[in-house]
Amino acid sequence: MATDRSRTADRIRRIMAAEGDSVERNTRGFNEGRYDSVDRLEEYDAYKDRARAIKEDAIERLPELIERVRETVEENGGTVYLADDAADANRYVRELARERAAETVVKSKSMTTEEIDLNEALDAEGCDVWETDLGEFVLQVADEAPSHLVAPAIHQSREEIAALFNEYFDPDMELETAEELTAFAREYLGDRIENADIGVTGANFVTADTGTMALVTSEGNARKTVAVPDTHVAVAGVEKIVPTFEDLQPFVELIARSGTGQDITSYVSLFSPPVATPPVDFDDDGPIADDPADRDFHLVLLDNGRMDMREDDQLRETLYCIRCGACSNSCANFQSVGGHAFGGETYSGGIATGWEAGVHGRESADDFNDLCTGCSRCVNQCPVKIDIPWINTVVRDRRNRGAEDGQLDFLVEGLTPDEEPAGMDLQKRFFGNFATLAKLGSATAPVSNWVADTLPSRLAMERVLGVDRRRDLPEFERETFVEWFRNRDVPRPVDADYHAVVYPDLYTNYIRTDRGKATVRTLEALGVAVEVPEVASSGRAPLSQGMIATAEDHAREVSANLEPYLEAGYDVVAVEPSDLAMFRGEYERLLDERRSETIAERSYEVFEYVYGLLENGVDPASLSGADDAGGAGSALAYHSHCQQRTLELEAYTTDVLERLGYDVVTSDVECCGMAGSFGYKSEYYELSVDVGERLKEQFEMPEAADRTVVASGTSCLEQLDGLLARRPRHPISLVAPDGSE
Amino acid sequence: MQTQLETFETNLGSVRTGVTRTSPAAFQDVLGDVIDEPAIGAPIPFAELSLEGTGVVLEPTPDQLREATCGVTAAALGVADYGTVVLESTPAGAELAGLFPDRHVVVVRERDLVADMAAAFERLGERFRDGNDDAVLATGPSATADMGDLVHGVHGPRETHAVIVEDAAE
Ligand code: SF4
């Protein structure tokens, strides 16, 4: 275990050093472009809903649509082959190449052909295969795998590509600028296209009613690949089918914006092959239009596990993916290391877990599933609204259970066991059962803190549990938040208009009790009758280790604990955003509908609740404003929490702070890189710090450098505490009236 | 408030496409100003306009295709919101003429403009079902960022220019 961990850490460190800079520059550029571009699209949310609905419908009706595609393509004069798996698809294309005695095959970018290793198959047939997309071409020359769904070579810098080309092709003039490299590639590939016997493309979408394939590109290579050779083979996963031609429209609006932040790519080609364009024989000197040659078109529809994914209630959503790459671009970890660290045989980034588990079997998802911290920043960015972190959690759970490869439907059974499997990784167990640890740590504080912090125990924790010794451990309070509240001697308001339970999450209850106390004081000052009962931990910790069954137990307990309060008309106020995100999000998957809906509707993030009170006319005069908050100053640099932002709650905090006279600047990096246990794990510690550096840089810029740093999440606070010289605070501690407790 | 035509022009500009407005009568003169020779093209399928006698080679050989610096083709539609032109493939090789040469001059009629993609797809759906079933939504020149910086002119044209033919006044 320990050596596995250091091997993983080494690998990540190496990739981060070699590829991190290019990946960071490119993905962040795409990501910023995406925010701008979707802002310009008025109907953005409506398009997302439509895109989702089309995909749901298409996957539901897939067998029927496959038959429809077969009919329409055949009516147009093409051939459809439904391939069971990679070997079947490759065999079909190889035979075609053999029949045509094809010497040169040109391809335009297609992840699906990467998935089945078509190039190798054609090589074995003696064909000269060339990738015409420039990114793919670079990878072909470098003999590397793609690191990104949309921009496969983003990890390579111009300098690296120049060195690679100069060495490999030994051109007359050394290549240096992007223009020179592009011109060289265009010419080199142009010759290959002219001589090609077969053109291979993928397809972004295939329409069932007209047999049209949509190819989304910018370079023009797909157009040439289709137009020049007289034989065209398109390889597409069966999930690419949409029912009607008009269904393409929302995707055309969304795909480029989501991926690279362009409103639209230079070319969206809509071909219903065989195309009307005459093929070009460059050895002939008559007019092209006279060429009587028939065109030949083959659509290879690939199953390769997809029909099983369709039957799998948890993995099905993966099939809605249009492979735009937005999830990768918005992923803080991906921004630091890129797709090669995420691993997988073909696909990369968050959604790759679903793809790899579905098409290559769960083992190929093993290496990288851990890099998803569940921060949820990708969820709102996905144009088809896939809950990517949930897919990661499911695959993690299945992996924990070590079930047989290829069994995709056992989650149902997996959701109802009494306990986690015996062989499960100790590190996961440790972080997954943080609730138990916190209870124990607090009961024996401060001794537990001293013991935990001695070098021998840090070494042991690192060796056995993989808890990185460079990361400060949380310090447990002897008196828990719940106990403090119980022991407190403060008169309860009578006839209060509002009643609220302050949810004592693990951190607030055992470690950061101050923010709990500040929350109670704030709410009471605003006239709320507050209770802090003993409530189970939310299940966030086990869930992020993929321990779904345990998380489900927690959820049931929380629901039972809260039930009497909810019935008595209490709202639930959460301090920790990741717990609120459980209540509003994952509980839907863990509890029955009635219970999850009640909790979701009645729970609030603390500043959201305060905002609501103020909007309802409650007077904020009793809160501490900018002028009287104990030495904090009125200028703040605020870092919201990833899940809080996904739930669109950031504005409540900034609004309340501003009403109280604070001047607030906010960070816009996706995430602090901490995400609960992630930054503690020795294999990910350095990656976590690298992600945190982006936040640190923002808060060290002149306009933020002198501001008091505030953050909402516990893990963000810890990350910031480790990286910044200033000690960050929770915003509630600024606004709470002074207390003597 | 911009007219649809003005919106189209503005958006063509923001996707690096030059614009010339003209009338059917002045079309051939204007074309002479915006093409570079050797130029190839495909017959324009609009009754009032023609490329005959303009010096644009209409039935190119592969060599002429390779050597041409400019290609002239017609657009079936223009999408105002995006500055996009819809290029249809024809047996005469319109797709090739708009793809191989360095400069692509596209002829769009004002009457073929639509406001947005939704309208474009409605029209295209009809055309596709009627048998005109290949089309490229082209927006600006071809481009790549794969070599470390944005470069225009990859496998497709480096420059794009739209000649917009205004509707004759009634
Ligand atoms: S999961 Fe969503 S965001 Fe990620 S590539 Fe697929 S469609 Fe795009």
Side-chain angles (χ1 to χ4, degrees), chain A residues 325-380:
Chain A
C327 49
S328 298
N329 299 336
S330 61
C331 171
N333 285 340
F334 195 100
Q335 288 180 357
S336 275
V337 281
H340 285 154
F342 276 72
E345 285 175 42
T346 310
Y347 300 100
S348 71
I351 193 59
T353 306
W355 280 121
E356 291 286 338
V359 305
H360 289 134
R362 218 179 37 249
E363 258 158 45
S364 117
D366 264 15
D367 285 350
F368 64 101
N369 177 280
D370 277 352
L371 284 188
C372 171
T373 65
C375 86
S376 81
R377 288 300 298 153
C378 55
V379 174
N380 292 357

Side-chain angles (χ1 to χ4, degrees), chain A residues 6 22 57 72 119 170 173 365 399 476 479 672 680 720 735:
Chain A
S6 61
S22 291
D57 174 50
T72 48
N119 291 17
D170 194 19
M173 287 263 293
R399 205 173 113 202
F476 298 107
E479 186 189 45
C672 73
Y680 284 100
L720 282 164
V735 310

Side-chain angles (χ1 to χ4, degrees), chain A residues 132 135 161 182 186 194 209 218-219 221 223-224 246 253 257 266-268 270 272 275-278 281 284-286 288, chain B residues 60-62 66 82 89 91 95 99 117 125 129 133-135 137-139 141-144 146-147 153-157:
Chain A
T132 60
I161 299 170
T182 301
R186 174 180 51 205
E194 286 183 10
D209 64 342
S218 273
E219 295 182 358
N221 60 317
R223 295 172 63 188
K224 279 188 173 162
E246 283 76 7
E253 310 267 2
R257 293 179 199 269
S266 303
Y267 304 121
V268 176
L270 307 169
S272 317
V275 292
T277 304
D281 179 355
D284 193 275
D285 44 13
I288 299 164
Chain B
T61 63
R66 205 173 0 209
Y82 278 84
S89 315
E95 162 75 342
L99 182 61
M117 279 296 166
R129 276 177 255 276
D133 58 359
D134 300 317
L137 309 180
T139 313
S142 79
T144 187
D146 285 342
M147 295 294 160
V154 194
H155 295 280

